[in-house]
């Protein structure tokens, strides 16, 4: 007790005395005469952490009190000297200040101010309610409080805070305890040194209470690796210099090469790592709440406020990162603030836009693939349709050619019969003439081949398509077509001029389809000339290998040609100028040729008639090979 009397010695001076009503919009709603409140600071209004608590208290009282508040603030300036001096002048000053006006509530902020009031209670405003705030419950005894007194006390567990440091940074071997040399700080140094003995052998404590502020900064700069700083309070340093405001903390933070921890949150966000902390907001809020109740008429002695204890552990994410503390080391339920937004959070809009673009692209690709598949199916179906049509077209052609075909087969057959009979006769002679007989047999063989050509050509008309492409000699196809149309040409007095290249115009393709194209074009030419009045009827058919390596089949007639007006429509399906025509022939021909990678064109022939040209990519010619094995 004696130490406190010494601590609260004379030299007390009034530092701040401001009488004012809360200038807030809420003040307009306050009713009745103002309530006069004296807030006594322990050293001055700017000593942490009480300065932050005072800010929170003022704000909360302003918003909670139903009355206008006339707040006076004074400071126990003498406390900074720590000398035992007479304090009566300060008491007299305060009493005289409120002698006339009266006082509704006295609040002592911090343990020194609390001690001052408790010691001088009989003399200083004995009938005025007293509220002790922000004083640790270990700095006074509840028995010291009368019926007109109450307290919003704090209690914090320093051992738990040190354990938290070691939990976060298990490699820590040294903890610098930044604490000053005021009477209150000496009180704490003594208690802490005693209770920290339990960490002996585990971690070394370096006490700053014997240092000046400059020495503290220097020591912080020179701390060895694996150190941590436990920042308490420095109200007055060892040289007796008061440390107002946050400047010392700022200097320590700049010099520190080690993580800084503290017991209260007023430097949270300014460079301390965090942990289980006292909440200056909570202390201010509860003090304001109790003040409001007293001003509302409640008896202070009846108001029992729970002690403000350490809050849920609170950490600064940036400091955790800086000191490489994994969040897995934090106790469950810890709160981490000041997280830097992740790339996802920072570029949320851009990422969403890109994701949407990707999604759209994926959908488009999906849609294109779907369409592509549909097209493939449609193409396959249409190819099948073309095949079916081509087949019908061939049947129709075969019907038209029936008479011609019969004739073409009968011709060689009767030649074979004639030649064979002659041959037999040559052999039956008394002296068989073998030379004549051989000649006759050769004629029979030749005519057999001729019949075979016709039958092959006709057979193709009725055969189903072979799906695979193979090497096809276009000259062979031309000859087959000429064979089966010979009779038709002859019956209409159509001459033939066939000019087939010896350069083997071999292409890769479907022989039946390609034969059908040539046959269609030849039949169209025959039909055009059949109806023509011009007696000079000539079918010219030519095969060639062109300079660019492609194969050409050219079919020209001397018919009437086409009206230029209908020329464009010739290749359209179902276009026909013939009474019984189907109009599918040219359309099928074009489809087949283009499916073989070639082109089919029609131009007027000179002086009249039509000139059809089939151009096909040519297969590399083989070194040898005849048309018959
Ligand atoms: P179709 O022979 O059944 O009419 P095509 O598709 O083979 O069907 O021919 C279409 C039309 O093209 C014919 O009706 C005819 O008017 C014209 N055409 C085709 N070839 C010739 C040709 N060589 N000379 C004159 N007109 C032709």
């Amino acid at each position: 007790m004696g130490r406190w009397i010494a601590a609260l010695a004379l030299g007390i001076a009034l530092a701040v005395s401001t009488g004012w009503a809360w200038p807030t919009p809420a003040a307009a709603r306050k009713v009745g005469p103002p309530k006069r409140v004296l807030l006594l600071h322990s050293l001055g209004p700017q000593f942490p952490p009480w300065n932050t608590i005072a800010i929170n208290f003022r704000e909360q009282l302003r918003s909670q009190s139903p009355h206008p508040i006339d707040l006076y603030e004074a400071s126990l300036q003498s406390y900074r000297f720590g000398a035992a001096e007479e304090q009566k002048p300060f008491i007299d000053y305060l009493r005289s200040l409120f002698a006339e006006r009266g006082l509704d509530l006295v609040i002592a902020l911090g343990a020194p101010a609390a001690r001052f009031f408790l010691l001088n209670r009989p003399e200083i405003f004995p009938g005025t309610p007293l509220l002790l705030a922000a004083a640790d419950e270990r700095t006074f005894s509840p028995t010291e409080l009368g019926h007109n007194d109450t307290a919003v006390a704090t209690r914090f567990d320093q051992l738990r805070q040190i354990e938290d440091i070691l939990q976060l940074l298990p490699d820590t071997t040294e903890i610098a305890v930044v604490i000053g040399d005021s009477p209150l700080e000496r009180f704490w140094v003594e208690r802490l040194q005693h209770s920290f003995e339990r960490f002996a052998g585990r971690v070394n404590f370096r006490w700053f209470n014997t240092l000046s502020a400059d020495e503290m900064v220097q020591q912080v700069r020179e701390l060895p690796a694996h150190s941590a700083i436990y920042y308490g309070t420095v109200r007055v340093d060892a040289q007796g210099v008061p440390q107002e405001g946050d400047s010392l903390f700022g200097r320590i933070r700049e010099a520190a090469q080690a993580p800084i921890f503290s017991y209260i949150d007023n430097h949270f966000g300014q460079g301390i790592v965090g942990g289980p902390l006292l909440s200056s907001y909570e202390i201010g809020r509860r003090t304001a709440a109790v003040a409001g109740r007293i001003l509302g008429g409640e008896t202070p002695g009846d108001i029992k406020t729970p002690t403000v204890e350490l809050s849920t552990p609170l950490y600064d994410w940036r400091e955790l990162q800086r000191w490489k503390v994994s969040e897995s080391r934090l106790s469950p339920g810890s709160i981490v603030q000041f997280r830097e937004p992740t790339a996802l959070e920072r570029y949320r809009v851009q990422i969403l836009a890109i994701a949407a673009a990707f999604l759209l692209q994926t959908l488009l690709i999906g849609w294109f693939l779907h369409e592509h598949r549909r097209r493939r199916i449609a193409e396959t179906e249409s190819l099948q349709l073309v095949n079916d049509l081509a087949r019908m077209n061939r049947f129709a052609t075969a019907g038209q050619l029936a008479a011609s075909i019969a004739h073409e087969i009968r011709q060689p057959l009767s030649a074979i019969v004639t030649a064979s009979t002659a041959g037999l006769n040559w052999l039956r002679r008394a002296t068989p003439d073998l030379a004549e007989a051989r000649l006759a047999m050769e004629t029979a063989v030749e005519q057999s081949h001729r019949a075979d050509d016709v039958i092959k050509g006709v057979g193709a008309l009725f055969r189903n398509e072979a799906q695979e492409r193979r090497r096809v000699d276009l000259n062979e196809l031309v000859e087959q077509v000429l064979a089966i149309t010979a009779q038709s040409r002859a019956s209409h007095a159509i001459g033939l001029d066939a000019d087939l290249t010896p350069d083997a115009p071999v292409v890769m393709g479907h022989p039946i389809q390609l034969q059908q194209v040539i046959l269609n074009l030849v039949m169209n030419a025959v039909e055009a000339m059949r109806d023509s009045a011009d007696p000079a009827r000539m079918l010219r058919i030519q095969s060639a290998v062109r300079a660019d390596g492609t194969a050409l089949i050219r079919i020209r007639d001397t018919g009437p040609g086409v009206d230029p007006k209908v020329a464009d429509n010739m290749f359209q399906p179902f276009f026909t100028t013939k009474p019984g025509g189907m109009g599918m022939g040219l359309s099928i021909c074009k489809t087949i040729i283009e499916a073989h990678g070639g082109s089919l064109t029609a131009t007027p022939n000179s002086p009249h008639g039509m000139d059809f040209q089939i151009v096909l990519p040519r297969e590399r010619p083989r070194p040898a090979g005849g048309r018959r094995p």
Side-chain angles (χ1 to χ4, degrees):
M1 188 69 73
R3 57 184 304 133
W4 288 107
I5 297 168
L8 300 170
L10 271 187
I12 295 169
L14 186 66
V16 183
S17 178
T18 49
W20 49 278
W22 300 105
T24 63
R29 298 195 300 275
K30 310 289 185 193
V31 290
K35 296 284 183 185
R36 234 166 251 126
V37 178
L38 170 65
L39 176 66
L40 186 68
H41 295 278
S42 281
L43 279 90
Q46 298 305 334
F47 282 82
W50 298 315
N51 54 351
T52 315
I53 294 169
I55 290 169
N56 290 318
F57 162 73
R58 289 190 203 103
E59 280 179 5
Q60 292 293 320
L61 186 64
R62 179 178 56 189
S63 60
Q64 289 179 19
S65 170
H67 313 283
I69 300 291
D70 189 1
L71 183 71
Y72 292 78
E73 299 194 32
S75 298
L76 267 180
Q77 295 281 7
S78 69
Y79 186 76
R80 57 178 71 191
F81 309 135
E85 291 176 43
E86 179 57 54
Q87 53 195 302
K88 195 167 176 302
F90 184 56
I91 297 171
D92 289 345
Y93 171 75
L94 291 178
R95 277 171 44 185
S96 64
L97 193 64
F98 296 104
E100 296 294 314
R101 301 179 182 91
L103 193 58
D104 297 298
L105 174 64
V106 173
I107 300 169
L109 189 61
R115 181 55 43 200
F116 167 76
F117 272 110
L118 290 176
L119 282 176
N120 300 289
R121 195 75 179 106
E123 287 178 63
I124 187 161
F125 314 123
T128 304
L130 170 65
L131 168 56
L132 309 183
D136 191 280
E137 64 181 16
R138 286 164 284 188
T139 61
F140 65 93
S141 162
T143 57
E144 293 181 86
L145 301 179
H147 82 285
N148 212 16
D149 312 326
T150 189
V152 174
T154 60
R155 181 184 181 88
F156 65 105
D157 184 348
Q158 294 96 338
L159 292 178
R160 190 178 152 208
Q161 293 181 323
I162 299 297
E163 274 161 7
D164 188 67
I165 296 173
L166 298 176
Q167 159 79 20
L168 261 58
L169 297 157
D171 294 341
T172 306
T173 52
E174 178 136 337
I175 296 178
V177 184
V178 179
I179 192 159
D181 195 32
S182 68
L184 178 60
E185 284 149 350
R186 272 183 239 136
F187 165 83
W188 282 118
V189 167
E190 197 183 299
R191 291 186 76 108
L192 295 180
Q193 283 183 339
H194 176 68
S195 56
F196 285 2
E197 276 171 13
R198 72 145 69 172
F199 297 107
R202 164 76 185 81
V203 63
N204 180 46
F205 290 94
R206 193 188 282 222
W207 298 90
F208 278 20
N209 55 306
T210 57
L211 307 177
S212 68
D214 289 346
E215 287 166 342
M216 291 183 191
V217 174
Q218 188 58 30
Q219 289 251 339
V220 156
R221 192 169 280 122
E222 292 165 1
L223 283 175
H226 305 301
S227 292
I229 297 164
Y230 183 59
Y231 193 91
T233 58
V234 184
R235 271 88 189 217
V236 180
D237 70 6
Q239 274 188 331
V241 180
Q243 300 295 324
E244 270 181 284
D246 294 329
S247 70
L248 180 61
F249 176 79
R251 291 176 66 197
I252 296 253
R253 188 195 54 212
E254 272 187 14
Q257 299 302 315
I260 308 175
F261 294 82
S262 186
Y263 73 103
I264 194 162
D265 66 355
N266 60 321
H267 290 307
F268 185 73
Q270 297 167 11
I272 66 166
V273 178
L277 303 169
L278 280 177
S279 163
S280 51
Y281 170 81
E282 188 58 21
I283 299 167
R285 188 189 70 78
R286 283 198 208 173
T287 305
V290 174
R293 287 170 67 183
I294 294 170
L295 294 174
E298 283 188 53
T299 305
D302 295 342
I303 302 173
K304 303 291 176 211
T305 314
T307 301
V308 180
E309 301 201 34
L310 294 179
S311 60
T312 307
L314 181 68
Y315 297 95
D316 186 328
W317 183 84
R318 298 164 300 186
E319 296 298 316
L320 293 177
Q321 297 294 307
R322 181 176 172 199
W323 303 109
K324 300 190 172 36
V325 177
S326 160
E327 286 190 35
S328 64
R329 303 203 75 85
L330 310 185
S331 49
S334 297
I335 299 166
V336 179
Q337 290 190 354
F338 303 112
R339 266 181 210 284
E340 260 176 33
T342 60
L344 181 65
E345 288 159 348
R346 201 177 311 168
Y347 302 110
R348 194 184 166 80
V349 174
Q350 290 90 332
I351 289 172
L352 279 177
I354 291 168
F358 268 124
L359 187 70
L360 195 68
Q361 202 176 25
T362 309
L363 287 174
L364 275 174
I365 290 170
W367 184 68
F368 284 141
L369 286 175
H370 174 70
E371 282 301 304
H372 180 71
R373 195 168 158 268
R374 270 170 41 121
R375 218 181 106 195
R376 288 281 303 274
I377 292 170
E379 275 175 4
T380 310
E381 283 173 354
S382 89
L383 203 68
Q384 185 58 45
L385 221 61
V386 170
N387 276 344
D388 292 349
L389 274 171
R391 202 145 170 260
M392 283 168 59
N393 182 259
R394 285 199 304 277
F395 289 170
T397 311
Q400 285 173 313
L401 285 170
S404 172
I405 290 167
H407 177 83
E408 288 306 316
I409 293 175
R410 206 176 300 123
Q411 282 278 76
L413 284 181
S414 46
I416 290 165
V417 170
T418 310
S420 304
T421 309
L424 283 174
N425 288 339
W426 290 116
L427 290 174
R428 275 197 205 107
R429 284 194 168 192
T431 316
D433 189 334
L434 292 179
E436 285 295 339
R438 190 192 305 115
L439 214 60
M441 287 307 136
E442 281 173 358
T443 305
V445 169
E446 194 183 304
Q447 290 302 316
S448 303
H449 286 311
R450 189 179 151 199
D452 186 46
D453 269 351
V454 177
I455 289 163
K456 266 191 198 153
V458 174
L461 290 176
F462 296 99
R463 219 175 300 138
N464 232 337
E465 303 297 271
Q467 287 304 313
E468 275 155 35
R469 295 183 174 202
R470 62 176 177 80
R471 287 164 55 86
V472 183
D473 185 341
L474 294 178
N475 279 349
E476 274 183 41
L477 299 183
V478 170
E479 283 173 7
Q480 286 172 6
V481 168
L482 291 178
I484 56 179
T485 56
Q487 174 59 26
S488 287
R489 283 182 278 115
S491 60
H492 299 300
I494 296 170
L496 173 68
D497 177 4
D499 176 14
L500 303 186
T501 175
D503 286 344
V506 176
V507 299
M508 281 300 285
H510 296 282
I512 294 172
Q513 291 180 358
L514 294 175
Q515 188 216 47
Q516 179 174 4
V517 173
I518 298 165
L519 179 62
N520 267 331
L521 297 179
V522 169
M523 290 293 288
N524 275 349
V526 169
E527 283 169 6
M529 289 187 284
R530 180 189 63 193
D531 303 331
S532 161
D534 189 346
R537 297 170 181 171
M538 181 63 77
L539 174 72
R540 288 199 171 81
I541 189 154
Q542 179 194 353
S543 71
V545 173
R546 302 201 309 173
D548 63 1
T550 52
L552 168 76
I553 301 289
R554 196 171 179 190
I555 298 160
R556 284 173 285 179
D557 64 70
T558 54
V562 287
D563 185 336
K565 276 187 276 179
V566 304
D568 288 346
N569 296 326
M570 279 173 76
F571 291 99
Q572 296 296 322
F574 306 111
F575 175 83
T576 182
T577 55
K578 298 170 193 167
M582 195 159 67
M584 286 304 297
L586 288 182
S587 160
I588 289 168
C589 291
K590 200 170 175 69
T591 306
I592 290 172
I593 296 301
E594 285 176 356
H596 281 74
S599 66
L600 171 63
T601 53
T603 48
N605 191 23
S606 175
H608 49 81
M610 289 301 293
D611 178 356
F612 285 88
Q613 295 195 19
I614 304 165
V615 176
L616 285 165
R618 188 160 154 257
E619 170 72 359
R620 202 160 38 86
R622 283 181 179 167
R627 53 178 291 238
R628 290 202 176 98

